[in-house]
């Protein structure tokens, strides 16, 4: 796997553990810690994400320049905009069969059956050798998706590998899939803790190039086996289909291309929530120089009429609707002009502070889709901005005539300030917002917020 430099500036206090914290909208989904390998599941009408938790390990522990994960958190959201971190649900030191100092709590999954919640996770066995052979998969059981989860005394027997995925078919039969260079699968017993069949190797899935991270789901009677595969340089997401959860699967195509950032891994899940399909995946947004500290993302996923998956193009904007009265992070735009507009870190030395938009040429613009203005119009719009030369920014509703609803003057000055102006015409309901530089240059915008 590609090795890149470890960030020097991420303070441990930022990433060790949090209890319930409301996180953010847009991509990446979580802005106060690293998260990777997101498995999204719907439980009790709410969307839960079970990711890995990349960290910078304590000095002298873990593996330098590699993945380091000591525990898992679970996150939930009802609107895919506001995310709650329910805190730590499992720690490596609490798994009886695992090496408590392995920092190898890799990609997990969670499913619900018979009123219980089963959390599947890979980690290294005590006294394990090197490589994925030293890994097995364990189960921790809870009464609620948020836990507390109690790990089983032993790992699942006969399973060697990583990246567990459990699929429960309509007839109640559960299947466990995992990887170790190739993808493997077997039936699970009704207790969800033991294999109930021979292990099948999915030889028909392209075997040239590393394959891992299986995720199986069913739609309209078709079983989709989806997985990251290194066909060229880094992992891209691919899939095959079958009329049986144990295959054979016919290769169909690519769901997401290799990451533009060069991040070597991608790891995903696909979920239907409130009648929309979503792809959850990861990239290195908060760690641009070290791709083993990753961040979860989500984008909408669509199918062709024939059931094929349309390729998902990663966005900064992500999913969910943003309230007009919140600080709208226009640097996570859904579209931008192809000149004079860019999203850059607020502080390159501390990516956790987020981004700003720099508008550099008159008429340069960014669009931020799905802003909910509610039933009543807004009185004012505020923009947190700075500009050494000053400028004016038009606030518009994106549409046929891109109607201007306000114009905000950004006074010349080097410090961040909040500038405001009245909103001239009524904006209600869910609209796409457009911000356009009308005069000046070098106008940096942190966020936009409407006041009622
Ligand atoms: O997060 C560690 C490993 O990287 C996962 O288990 C793989 O799927 C890859 O994302």
């Amino acid at each position: 796997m590609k090795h890149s430099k470890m960030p020097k500036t991420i303070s441990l206090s930022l990433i060790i553990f949090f209890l319930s914290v409301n996180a953010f909208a847009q991509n990446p989904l979580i802005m106060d810690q690293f998260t990777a390998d997101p498995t999204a599941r719907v439980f009790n009408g709410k969307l839960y994400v079970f990711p890995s938790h990349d960290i910078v390990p304590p000095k002298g522990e873990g593996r330098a320049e590699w993945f380091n994960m000591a525990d898992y958190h679970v996150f939930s959201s009802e609107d895919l905009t506001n995310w709650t971190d329910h805190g730590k649900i499992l720690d490596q030191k609490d798994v009886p069969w695992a090496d408590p100092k392995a920092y190898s709590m890799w990609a997990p999954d969670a499913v619900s059956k018979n009123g219980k919640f089963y959390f599947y996770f890979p980690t290294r066995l005590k006294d394990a050798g090197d490589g994925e052979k030293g890994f097995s998969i364990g189960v921790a059981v809870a009464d609620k998706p948020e836990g507390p989860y109690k790990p089983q005394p032993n790992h699942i027997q006969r399973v060697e590998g990583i990246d567990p995925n459990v699929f429960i078919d309509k007839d109640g039969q559960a299947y466990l899939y995992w990887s170790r260079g190739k993808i493997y699968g077997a039936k699970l017993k009704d207790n969800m803790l033991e294999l109930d069949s021979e292990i099948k190797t999915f030889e028909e899935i392209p075997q040239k190039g590393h394959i891992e991270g299986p995720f199986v789901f069913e739609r309209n009677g078709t079983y989709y086996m989806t997985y990251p595969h290194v066909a060229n340089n880094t992992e891209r997401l691919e899939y095959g289909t079958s009329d049986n959860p144990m295959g054979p699967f016919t290769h169909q195509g690519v769901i997401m291309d290799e990451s533009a950032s060069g991040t070597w891994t991608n790891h995903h899940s696909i979920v239907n929530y409130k009648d929309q399909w979503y792809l959850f995946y990861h990239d290195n947004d908060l760690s641009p120089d070290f791709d083993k500290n990753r961040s979860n993302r989500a984008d909408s996923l669509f199918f062709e009429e024939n059931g094929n998956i349309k390729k998902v193009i990663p966005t900064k904007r992500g999913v969910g609707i943003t309230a007009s009265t919140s600080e709208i992070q226009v640097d996570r735009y859904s579209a931008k002009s192809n000149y004079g507009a860019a999203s850059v870190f607020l502080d390159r030395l501390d990516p956790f502070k987020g981004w700003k938009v720099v508008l550099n040429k008159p008429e340069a613009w960014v669009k931020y889709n799905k802003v909910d203005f509610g039933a009543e119009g807004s009185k004012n719009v505020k923009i947190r901005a700075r500009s050494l030369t000053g400028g004016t920014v038009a606030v518009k509703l994106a549409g046929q005539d891109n109607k201007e609803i306000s114009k905000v003057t950004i006074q010349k000055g080097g410090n961040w300030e909040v500038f405001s102006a009245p909103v001239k015409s009524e904006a209600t309901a869910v609209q796409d917002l457009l911000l356009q530089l009308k005069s000046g240059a070098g106008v940096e915008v942190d966020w936009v917020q409407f006041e009622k």
Side-chain angles (χ1 to χ4, degrees):
M1 290 189 184
K2 183 184 150 221
H3 295 274
S4 32
K5 260 179 45 211
M6 180 84 79
K8 294 191 184 76
T9 50
I10 308 304
S11 89
L12 257 187
S13 58
L14 263 175
I15 51 180
I16 286 182
F17 76 95
F18 293 81
L19 290 175
S20 264
V21 175
N22 270 318
F24 313 85
Q26 307 109 27
N27 283 330
L29 298 174
I30 308 297
M31 284 291 296
D32 57 10
Q33 59 196 293
F34 300 121
T35 50
D37 308 325
T39 298
R41 295 290 186 192
V42 180
F43 297 133
N44 310 324
K46 224 194 239 190
L47 193 125
Y48 287 82
V49 176
F50 295 84
S52 310
H53 184 194
D54 292 343
I55 59 163
V56 179
K59 223 171 172 214
E61 296 194 19
R63 294 177 74 185
E65 307 286 305
W66 195 241
F67 305 107
N68 286 285
M69 297 96 126
D71 61 26
Y72 296 101
H73 285 217
V74 60
F75 300 83
S76 73
S77 178
E78 288 189 58
D79 57 8
L80 306 188
T81 296
N82 297 293
W83 291 89
T84 300
D85 178 355
H86 297 280
K88 186 159 72 173
I89 56 167
L90 190 65
D91 193 296
Q92 59 182 359
K93 68 177 168 27
D94 299 326
V95 180
W97 53 271
D99 174 353
K101 292 266 182 174
Y103 290 91
S104 297
M105 308 286 272
W106 287 16
D109 193 2
V111 294
S112 171
K113 190 159 187 213
N114 304 329
K116 294 270 183 208
F117 295 85
Y118 296 88
F119 181 70
Y120 295 82
F121 60 96
T123 189
R124 278 178 179 278
L125 296 145
K126 281 181 180 145
D127 306 317
D130 263 358
E132 288 171 20
K133 262 201 152 173
F135 278 84
S136 188
I137 289 167
V139 193
V141 187
D143 293 322
K144 289 185 299 177
E146 300 86 4
Y149 283 89
K150 191 170 179 335
Q152 292 296 297
N154 214 336
H155 57 93
I156 304 178
Q157 298 304 295
R158 294 194 281 139
V159 174
E160 285 180 1
I162 60 168
D163 295 351
N165 164 240
V166 174
F167 167 71
I168 305 178
D169 206 355
K170 285 181 292 229
D171 61 3
Q173 176 65 56
Y175 300 83
L176 174 70
Y177 306 89
W178 66 96
S179 59
R180 206 184 84 201
K182 301 175 178 188
I183 292 176
Y184 304 87
K187 284 185 177 172
L188 276 175
K189 287 191 180 162
D190 197 45
N191 66 11
M192 302 298 277
L193 307 172
E194 293 166 274
L195 299 190
D196 199 20
S197 72
E198 291 304 305
I199 295 172
K200 176 165 184 192
T201 309
F202 293 96
E203 298 285 357
E204 72 279 10
I205 285 168
Q207 293 297 301
K208 203 170 152 275
H210 188 76
I211 295 184
E212 55 185 1
F215 186 87
V216 173
F217 68 97
E218 182 267 347
R219 178 180 177 268
N220 298 338
T222 298
Y223 298 88
Y224 292 76
M225 163 67 81
T226 66
Y227 49 89
H229 174 216
V230 186
N232 300 302
N233 300 311
T234 62
E235 289 182 341
R236 65 183 193 191
L237 304 178
E238 300 181 10
Y239 75 106
T241 55
S242 176
D243 58 5
N244 190 304
M246 288 302 269
F249 291 93
T250 306
H251 185 259
Q252 298 290 357
V254 175
I255 304 170
M256 179 173 273
D257 285 327
E258 292 182 2
S259 159
S261 73
T263 296
W264 199 92
T265 64
N266 198 352
H267 185 112
H268 70 297
S269 57
I270 292 172
V271 69
N272 187 299
Y273 184 57
K274 298 184 178 172
D275 291 330
Q276 172 63 54
W277 288 90
Y278 297 98
L279 175 74
F280 283 74
Y281 61 102
H282 70 221
D283 208 330
N284 71 344
D285 301 76
L286 296 174
S287 173
D289 302 322
F290 181 57
D291 69 350
K292 308 294 181 287
N293 285 167
R294 300 153 296 175
S295 291
N296 286 349
R297 301 172 131 249
D299 276 301
S300 300
L301 178 143
F302 300 92
F303 291 85
E304 305 277 6
E305 290 248 319
N306 66 2
N308 285 354
I309 298 176
K310 290 189 183 175
K311 207 182 255 189
V312 179
I313 308 297
T315 72
K316 296 187 194 312
R317 173 63 184 90
V319 298
I321 293 173
T322 303
S324 63
T325 50
S326 66
E327 292 174 3
I328 305 163
Q329 303 294 330
V330 286
D331 46 75
R332 308 287 84 201
Y333 47 73
S334 45
K336 73 172 185 75
S337 53
N338 52 15
Y339 56 90
S343 170
V344 294
F345 283 119
L346 280 165
D347 177 353
R348 184 63 174 76
L349 296 178
D350 187 358
F352 286 91
K353 286 188 178 151
W355 294 264
K356 61 188 173 188
V357 153
V358 184
L359 297 172
N360 250 327
K361 284 190 184 151
E363 305 304 320
W365 55 268
V366 289
K367 186 158 114 182
Y368 182 103
N369 68 15
K370 295 192 188 155
V371 175
D372 189 358
F373 286 87
E376 271 174 44
S378 317
K379 288 201 178 72
N380 288 303
V381 61
K382 298 195 290 183
I383 300 186
R384 184 171 190 260
R386 70 176 179 186
S387 169
L388 286 175
T389 51
T392 44
V393 174
V395 179
K396 300 181 173 185
L397 300 180
Q400 264 182 353
D401 55 356
N402 288 343
K403 184 175 170 190
E404 184 176 299
I405 57 170
S406 188
K407 196 176 259 174
V408 183
T409 303
I410 312 299
Q411 303 286 353
K412 179 176 163 175
N415 294 328
W416 286 103
E417 280 183 56
V418 175
F419 302 94
S420 72
V423 173
K424 295 186 287 207
S425 55
E426 188 132 303
T428 57
V430 176
Q431 310 260 4
D432 295 349
L433 187 68
L434 200 132
L435 218 63
Q436 188 166 36
L437 190 66
K438 294 316 281 183
S439 68
V443 173
E444 302 181 8
V445 177
D446 186 9
W447 47 253
V448 176
Q449 183 176 36
F450 290 85
E451 288 179 313
K452 295 282 175 191

